[in-house]
Amino acid sequence: MAASDTSHATRLRTDKSGLPAPRAAASAAGAASAPAAMLLQQAREQELAGSLADAIGRYEAAIAGAEAAGEARVAAEAQRRLAVVRHRRGEREAATALCERSLEVATEAGDTVLAGEALNTLAGFDFESGAIELARARFYQALELGGSSPELRGRIEQNLGILANIQGNHDEALAHYQQSLYAFQRTGDDHGCAIAYHNLGMVSADRARWEDAEECFRRSLEITAAVGDVHLTGLGLLNRSEVHLARQRYGDAKSDAEAALRIFDRLGTRLDKADAYKVIGRVYRETGQLALAEARLTAAIELAVSTDSVLSEAEASRELALLYQVMGRNQEALRFLGAAHRLFGRLDARLDLVDVARRVQRLEDTYLAVVRDWGQSIESADSYTFGHCERVAGYALSVAQALGMDEAQQTTIRIGAYLHDLGKVRVPHEILNKAGPLSREEFEIIKQHPVWGVELLATVDFPWDIKPIIRWHHEKYDGTGYPDRLRGDEIPLAAQVICIVDVYDALTTTRSYRAAMTPKEAAAQMHESRRWWRPDVYDAFCRTVPAIAAAA
Ligand SMILES: [Fe+2]
Ligand SMILES: [Fe+2]
């Protein structure tokens, strides 16, 4: 499991010092300029100390004063900084409007560095809302306009590192972060160095280089303690807590994450709080405190929703699903996995990010793990069918491939295979395990299991079309199946695939009423019943499964 989420780093870019306020003051001519520049400086100090409400008031006063005095540069800088603070508090629209205004004012004043600053900040906002290509374009535009400032160049270099990182290019990210560190060291920007170390820590954690990661976070936290950036301290603590978590140091993980949470609480930064709750929830889950884990992960989701952060909501939903799996609450686990999948789908449609693809892959792996566990827990009630779901899934996959089904259809088939007999949990144990033939009444009960399976999943929405497989995996092409006596192509192809391999597995395993057949015997018997399946399904089956089973 990745130790850190890129979302922590992405928020850093909007948090940089731009043109230092004293320089803005010095450059603004005349005594009338002093108050606005001074207000800006005070606002910055309040912001760094974590008094955001005071800082907002002071920034607003600085903007009003600068506008009245015609001090474009002070106004542009105050607008941009206020935008950053508002954005951190989840006020996205106000933040964007302020920053766009800052860009206009700086451009009118002919200050390319301040215009570059505004673009850099706007790109950061784009990035967080998921508009990744727009963000990239703006970062390059910012570099073009403001690259004459080594200090700004260092930060853009860092932002490009963040982009490389989220796209899974860790080497490239590392190189960008190192460049940004050198730039900040050259300009003597301690705050910049603290951020660079922080991001180097994150990329090291992504590569599971835990010791490097810890050392980078230690240096970053050391510098932030000296320069007094409370927010960055919180982020450093939270990300270090994920390193502890990955190394199973649960006590350290909890104390770092809780210290981070106290900071974010004080700052009122809800999205960071969401991430802190998520880590604390994971610590509780890993240490078996399941009720506490549920409370924290639920809080993480609520906060992510309230700040409109799709990525955080998706990640927290996946973590909660894993908790429900541990608790045996499988329907809820699948519900939250479905929610996470839909959220990633929204991101994927906009971003086409490698990193999202990796997260979706991880999510689908989680899906398979949850349904496999659930399928196996059903088998444990029926000693004769142990391993049935796993074999059906394996056979079905090879038939699906022989039929030329695509990746999504193959995933549908695999998940359907694990869950196809879910409804058997409602069939009495003595009927499932009965030695000898079933009575008519008993068979009527067995025949309900496809319907019961779908009922058990009534509250679950799958990203794949699983339910037709469950309901119709006993339907036959000649209309002799159950529960709906469908005929021909009324039966979905995926259900036919499961049907044929299900029959094969039943024949080739020992049952309470007869011994297992060899693959050859089973294939001969199925040849007699080939009217039960669509001809291409039967052909695909013959070309793959008996040979695979015989070789196994
Ligand atoms: Fe079945
Ligand atoms: Fe089955």
Side-chain angles (χ1 to χ4, degrees):
M1 198 168 290
S4 52
D5 281 337
T6 51
S7 54
H8 299 154
T10 63
R11 250 165 288 129
L12 290 172
R13 83 166 55 80
T14 57
D15 191 38
K16 321 297 162 16
S17 51
L19 206 62
R23 221 193 304 160
S27 69
S33 70
M38 213 154 65
L39 288 167
L40 174 57
Q41 172 70 13
Q42 288 165 354
R44 179 65 179 153
E45 282 161 10
Q46 284 167 334
E47 183 193 336
L48 282 175
S51 312
L52 294 195
D54 292 341
I56 287 172
R58 210 55 68 101
Y59 279 131
E60 279 169 346
I63 294 165
E67 279 175 347
E71 297 160 11
R73 302 181 74 222
V74 176
E77 179 66 5
Q79 282 157 343
R80 191 183 65 80
R81 289 192 173 286
L82 181 55
V84 170
V85 174
R86 290 214 178 279
H87 190 268
R88 236 202 266 161
R89 292 165 66 96
E91 302 161 24
R92 285 170 185 251
E93 278 178 29
T96 302
L98 268 167
C99 203
E100 280 168 351
R101 182 77 191 122
S102 170
L103 175 59
E104 265 171 44
V105 170
T107 306
E108 273 167 30
D111 191 319
T112 54
V113 173
L114 275 182
E117 290 284 1
L119 278 164
N120 186 47
T121 302
L122 278 169
F125 296 168
D126 292 336
F127 184 88
E128 272 195 31
S129 68
I132 196 78
E133 288 311 319
L134 183 58
R136 186 195 304 280
R138 272 181 166 156
F139 282 134
Y140 279 111
Q141 227 182 325
L143 196 59
E144 215 172 286
L145 272 176
S148 62
S149 154
E151 198 265 330
L152 176 58
R153 183 172 281 277
R155 278 183 284 122
I156 297 171
E157 193 67 65
Q158 172 186 297
N159 290 334
L160 289 168
I162 291 167
L163 275 188
N165 188 49
I166 61 142
Q167 296 195 307
N169 302 324
H170 293 162
D171 289 338
E172 200 184 314
L174 204 65
H176 280 302
Y177 290 150
Q178 258 151 3
Q179 285 304 317
S180 75
L181 178 61
Y182 299 147
F184 294 136
Q185 282 171 337
R186 275 199 304 277
T187 55
D189 178 354
D190 286 343
H191 191 234
C193 289
I195 293 168
Y197 275 124
H198 178 274
N199 289 352
L200 284 166
M202 296 209 27
V203 89
S204 302
D206 272 338
R207 300 163 127 207
R209 293 186 181 173
W210 307 122
E211 264 157 48
D212 290 354
E214 217 172 324
E215 175 61 12
C216 288
F217 287 132
R218 189 192 63 75
R219 287 193 188 204
S220 178
L221 285 165
E222 201 175 77
I223 301 171
T224 47
V227 300
D229 182 340
V230 180
H231 184 236
L232 184 57
T233 302
L235 292 178
L237 287 166
L238 184 58
N239 288 313
R240 193 172 67 181
S241 78
E242 294 205 55
V243 174
H244 292 316
L245 185 55
R247 304 179 91 178
Q248 302 181 336
R249 295 184 192 151
Y250 300 118
D252 291 341
K254 185 156 170 279
S255 73
D256 268 2
E258 283 179 341
L261 181 62
R262 281 194 294 276
I263 288 173
F264 301 145
D265 233 350
R266 192 149 63 79
L267 297 177
T269 54
R270 287 180 293 157
L271 184 49
D272 297 320
K273 282 176 67 177
D275 290 337
Y277 275 127
K278 189 185 73 187
V279 177
I280 295 169
R282 285 171 56 201
V283 173
Y284 281 133
R285 186 185 65 208
E286 298 306 315
T287 53
Q289 293 162 281
L290 304 183
L292 286 167
E294 186 180 15
R296 297 301 182 277
L297 292 172
T298 305
I301 292 172
E302 281 165 7
L303 281 163
V305 169
S306 79
T307 54
D308 202 21
S309 172
V310 176
L311 188 60
S312 271
E313 187 189 347
E315 289 288 355
S317 298
R318 181 180 161 276
E319 297 296 346
L320 185 58
L322 287 168
L323 173 70
Y324 285 140
Q325 184 196 11
V326 171
M327 296 169 95
R329 288 158 66 174
N330 292 304
Q331 278 102 329
E332 284 159 288
L334 290 176
R335 242 186 0 245
F336 278 94
L337 287 176
H341 202 272
R342 279 190 296 281
L343 291 165
F344 280 133
R346 269 163 64 189
L347 282 175
D348 203 31
R350 293 205 311 250
L351 306 186
D352 192 28
L353 288 178
V354 173
D355 185 62
V356 170
R358 187 170 56 100
R359 286 162 193 262
V360 169
Q361 186 56 57
R362 191 172 67 162
L363 182 70
E364 292 184 359
D365 291 345
T366 309
Y367 246 110
L368 278 170
V370 170
V371 296
R372 176 186 279 141
D373 272 11
W374 201 6
Q376 283 171 353
S377 73
I378 301 154
E379 287 167 358
S380 64
D382 177 357
S383 53
Y384 286 100
T385 58
F386 182 76
H388 172 65
C389 287
E390 192 69 51
R391 288 189 302 272
V392 165
Y395 298 150
L397 195 61
S398 50
V399 174
Q401 284 162 352
L403 284 166
M405 289 181 157
D406 65 22
E407 291 276 337
Q409 288 169 316
Q410 291 179 31
T411 304
T412 308
I413 294 262
R414 286 180 73 191
I415 292 178
Y418 287 125
L419 295 180
H420 74 281
D421 280 335
L422 190 62
K424 284 194 177 169
V425 291
R426 292 202 188 156
V427 177
H429 188 254
E430 58 279 13
I431 299 180
L432 274 185
N433 287 287
K434 187 175 175 187
L438 295 169
S439 71
R440 197 165 164 272
E441 291 72 23
E442 287 166 340
F443 191 51
E444 288 305 317
I445 290 171
I446 292 264
K447 278 162 72 176
Q448 284 301 303
H449 80 270
V451 176
W452 288 336
V454 172
E455 277 177 20
L456 284 166
L457 295 169
T459 60
V460 181
D461 262 334
F462 286 95
W464 306 277
D465 210 9
I466 309 298
K467 292 178 189 177
I469 295 180
I470 298 173
R471 184 168 182 110
W472 293 315
H473 72 276
H474 287 287
E475 297 292 351
K476 309 247 163 71
Y477 203 65
D478 62 1
T480 61
Y482 64 88
D484 299 312
R485 298 184 72 87
L486 299 186
R487 177 183 289 273
D489 287 333
E490 288 173 345
I491 311 167
L493 186 58
Q496 277 267 289
V497 171
I498 298 299
C499 178
I500 196 165
V501 298
D502 190 37
V503 168
Y504 179 78
D505 190 63
L507 294 176
T508 51
T509 49
T510 303
R511 292 296 156 112
S512 49
Y513 45 89
R514 59 150 176 76
M517 293 182 186
T518 66
K520 216 173 156 183
E521 288 163 353
Q525 169 143 352
M526 288 172 72
H527 181 75
E528 297 304 311
S529 311
R530 62 190 180 283
R531 303 171 315 281
W532 289 359
W533 305 290
R534 216 169 88 165
D536 59 337
V537 172
Y538 179 71
D539 286 346
F541 166 80
C542 291
R543 275 185 278 132
T544 52
V545 175
I548 294 170

